[in-house]
């Protein structure tokens, strides 16, 4: 019998944590029954959860042309590896969890962008807050951000507006903004400015 790898156990723990947080905040996720769920779209608050066979459940397949997810007020969750997804609409929370995903949300307004993983590329129109946990991620926003919380190494965040404040934990991260408020730095060789 093979035991799960540390990465698999960590991914399972992260998935459980994220699901619990979404349930506690009132965002019920619609999981796609598969060993590798890809894109999960959250329904409007108070609406019934569709069945897994419901055509409204949107899914992005690896190495396929870009699929589009229309975000609503409750948000959207994108999970998996190597997906290309386009996001439009207004998102309370846009969560990207996994590795090597490319998310084009330039036509979206996002309150909170949450990223967990490695080598993800996210382009976003407007964003109020960014939470990033991982390494080698790139975020390009056509706005500033009120808050940033970053934990990891070799991440790059480019804001077209001002960063009001935040915390950077890790090494060799680069945050480029048109002005910054107070940013706490814990680590080495971070470039914030």
């Amino acid at each position: 019998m093979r035991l799960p790898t540390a990465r698999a156990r960590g991914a399972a723990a992260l998935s459980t944590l994220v699901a619990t947080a979404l349930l506690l905040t009132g965002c019920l996720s619609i999981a796609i029954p598969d060993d590798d769920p890809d894109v999960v779209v959250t329904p409007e608050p108070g609406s019934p959860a569709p069945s897994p066979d419901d055509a409204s459940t949107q899914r992005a397949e690896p190495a396929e042309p870009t699929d589009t997810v229309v975000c609503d007020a409750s948000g959207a969750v994108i999970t998996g590896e190597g997906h290309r997804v386009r996001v439009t609409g207004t998102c309370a929370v846009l969560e990207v969890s996994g590795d090597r995903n490319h998310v084009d949300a330039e036509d979206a307004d996002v309150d909170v962008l949450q990223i967990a993983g490695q080598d993800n590329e996210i382009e976003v129109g407007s964003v109020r807050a960014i939470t990033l946990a991982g390494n080698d991620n790139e975020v390009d926003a056509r706005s500033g951000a009120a808050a940033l919380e970053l934990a990891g190494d070799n991440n790059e965040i480019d804001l077209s507006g001002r960063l009001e404040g935040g915390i950077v934990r890790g090494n060799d991260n680069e945050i480029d903004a048109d002005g910054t408020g107070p940013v706490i730095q814990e680590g080495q060789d971070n470039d914030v400015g």
Side-chain angles (χ1 to χ4, degrees):
M1 181 172 126
R2 282 183 77 186
L3 295 176
T5 65
R7 182 176 179 159
R9 287 189 308 271
L14 177 62
S15 297
T16 302
L17 179 65
V18 168
T20 302
L22 287 173
L23 287 173
L24 292 175
T25 60
C27 298
L28 173 66
S29 292
I30 305 164
I32 300 169
D34 190 280
D35 290 340
D36 184 21
D38 300 313
V39 176
V40 179
V41 180
T42 56
E44 294 274 346
S47 66
S51 72
D53 297 326
D54 190 333
S56 69
T57 302
Q58 298 183 35
R59 176 184 176 130
E61 296 293 334
E64 292 293 318
T66 302
D67 286 327
T68 299
V69 173
V70 178
C71 204
D72 60 21
S74 59
V77 177
I78 301 167
T79 64
E81 294 187 14
H83 302 294
R84 297 184 64 78
V85 180
R86 183 170 183 262
V87 179
T88 62
T90 300
C91 301
V93 177
L94 174 57
E95 179 183 335
V96 179
S97 177
D99 301 333
R100 296 179 307 282
N101 294 299
H102 179 89
V103 178
D104 177 355
E106 285 187 310
D107 295 328
D109 294 319
V110 177
D111 284 335
V112 178
L113 175 61
Q114 296 177 334
I115 306 157
Q118 298 184 95
D119 299 315
N120 294 296
E121 294 180 25
I122 295 111
E123 298 163 344
V124 63
S126 67
V127 62
R128 291 182 34 112
I130 300 169
T131 302
L132 190 156
N135 301 317
D136 302 307
N137 295 287
E138 293 182 26
V139 177
D140 186 10
R142 289 187 290 143
S143 70
L148 168 68
E149 183 175 349
L150 186 152
D153 299 328
N154 302 310
N155 295 292
E156 183 177 326
I157 298 176
D158 186 15
L159 303 173
S160 294
R162 180 176 170 81
L163 173 61
E164 295 301 326
I167 185 165
V168 176
R169 294 181 180 104
N171 302 307
D172 301 308
N173 295 293
E174 182 178 331
I175 293 86
D176 184 26
D178 294 338
T180 62
V183 176
I184 298 168
Q185 297 186 51
E186 298 175 356
Q188 297 179 9
D189 300 320
N190 293 306
D191 183 11
V192 179

